[in-house]
Amino acid sequence: MYIGWREIRDAKGRFALISGVIALLSLMVVMLSALTAGLDAESTSAVRALPGDTVITQSAAGGEASSLTDSRVDDAAISQVRADDPQAMVLGVANTRITADGRAAAVAAFGFSDTDEVTVDSETAEALGVSAGSDVVVGTERVRVDAVGDTDKYAHTPVVRMPYSMWVTATGRDAASAVLTSDSTAPSGMAATSHSDAVSLVPGYKSEHSSLLLIQGLLLAISAIVVCGFFAVWTGQRVRSLAVVRAMGAGRNYLMRDGLGQAAVVLFAGLIAGGAVGAIGAWIASGTVPIAFDAGSMIALLAGMAVLGLAGAAIALRPLVKVDPLTALNR
């Protein structure tokens, strides 16, 4: 990579600029990846923690499963599911409010048929100034808090876990939201969703998650286009000098390897700098913004940017393979 190193040394500003642009793109990708993971956890962690292999909910008009908030599973459907799986658990989900001493907070009330305790998440308990043994009002029902702990979140709302019978009274609902079972067969008018796909039952999750993934994809594509455009212009400007090298006996493969090596240096310098700053920024922002730092996914995204960037550089360097020394020198 003798030629590539000399060009980087002689045109430091130009290569520093393109590395800076790549660093900025990688910083945005890392921060957005952390934000996507954080928002995912804020929206679906309570659903991911549900027991059972299958979630039975009401079918919507189009035949797909209704969201947990909108679903209504009556007693007849519950009886049918329990006929096949006596251990099936009834679940109620509703958005409501919890109040204590004149202070209130929005919560998602989760009623389980297999629990007899009321558990409030620590964040809500701290905001309301309540602890185990305190009396609070959930919806329209006054209840005693049995425990304070991590109850996860549903659609960006803290969860309050409670007995199903108490949930019915507190929310005024006349039907359950879902049945959690190990059987994948759904009664008529109901839809079965596997546990791995249960996040689709969270209202708004699909559109939110898809939008963030689309933005990440666009940033990856933009990084490839930026690298391709830079090296296309750079290659065009040095065709004559490379033609001299070709005339002196350098092979096409040598020039291609040299050019790709140069592109790799520029890419990795930008990716490492941007990735490091993005990781530090995500860690700093995690105290105030819903961010989840996943090193594996961030490394995978940066690796994807590197592969796409090198592919773009290879496309831009194609003239090096086709350059004819005599033709180029006569330009």
Side-chain angles (χ1 to χ4, degrees):
M1 216 186 88
Y2 176 76
I3 300 174
W5 279 118
R6 285 183 62 87
E7 289 176 340
I8 292 174
R9 187 184 62 188
D10 294 340
K12 296 184 184 72
R14 191 175 299 184
F15 284 96
L17 178 62
I18 188 61
S19 290
V21 172
I22 294 170
L24 181 60
L25 288 169
S26 60
L27 183 150
M28 290 190 290
V29 167
V30 167
M31 292 290 288
L32 187 60
S33 171
L35 180 61
T36 300
L39 290 174
D40 184 288
E42 289 265 313
S43 185
T44 66
S45 57
V47 174
R48 294 184 188 275
L50 291 176
D53 301 323
T54 306
V55 181
I56 305 295
T57 56
Q58 184 181 26
S59 293
E64 70 278 5
S66 297
S67 70
L68 288 173
T69 307
D70 297 332
S71 175
R72 298 291 184 274
V73 181
D74 56 27
D75 292 339
I78 294 173
S79 299
Q80 291 184 52
V81 175
R82 282 183 165 170
D84 297 324
D85 179 14
Q87 303 301 317
M89 184 190 306
V90 179
L91 171 67
V93 177
N95 293 322
T96 185
R97 289 167 63 83
I98 180 173
T99 58
D101 297 329
R103 287 177 286 184
V107 295
F110 273 43
F112 294 90
S113 60
D114 72 331
T115 186
D116 56 2
E117 290 188 345
V118 175
T119 305
V120 178
D121 80 288
S122 53
E123 181 181 327
T124 302
E126 183 180 354
L128 298 180
V130 302
S131 58
S134 301
D135 289 335
V136 298
V137 176
V138 179
T140 59
E141 182 78 356
R142 178 172 290 276
V143 301
R144 174 157 293 183
V145 177
D146 297 301
V148 174
D150 184 10
T151 57
D152 298 312
K153 292 189 177 182
Y154 171 77
H156 306 289
T157 306
V159 169
V160 172
R161 296 172 61 95
M162 59 200 315
Y164 176 71
S165 58
M166 187 181 293
W167 176 86
V168 172
T169 306
T171 61
R173 298 289 186 93
D174 57 358
S177 301
V179 183
L180 310 177
T181 177
S182 58
D183 189 358
S184 60
T185 304
S188 176
M190 300 291 148
T193 305
S194 66
H195 189 277
S196 59
D197 294 330
V199 293
S200 63
L201 303 178
V202 178
Y205 170 74
K206 283 184 178 179
S207 56
E208 175 188 272
H209 196 64
S210 298
S211 298
L212 292 170
L213 290 179
L214 176 61
I215 295 172
Q216 288 186 46
L218 289 175
L219 286 174
L220 291 175
I222 290 171
S223 65
I225 293 171
V226 167
V227 174
C228 180
F230 171 79
F231 279 99
V233 174
W234 180 246
T235 302
Q237 291 177 345
R238 61 195 186 117
V239 167
R240 288 179 61 85
S241 60
L242 292 176
V244 173
V245 177
R246 282 279 292 114
M248 294 172 63
R252 292 185 175 90
N253 291 336
Y254 171 82
L255 293 178
M256 180 60 76
R257 288 196 306 269
D258 189 88
L260 286 176
Q262 187 182 71
V265 170
V266 172
L267 266 171
F268 287 115
L271 291 175
I272 292 172
V277 174
I280 294 172
W283 177 73
I284 293 174
S286 61
T288 55
V289 180
I291 280 179
F293 186 81
D294 185 352
S297 63
M298 291 182 185
I299 291 173
L301 282 170
L302 292 177
M305 289 184 69
V307 171
L308 289 174
L310 288 174
I315 294 173
L317 294 171
R318 286 184 62 192
L320 296 182
V321 179
K322 299 179 179 180
V323 64
D324 180 74
L326 294 178
T327 303
L329 289 171
N330 287 330
R331 286 185 177 181

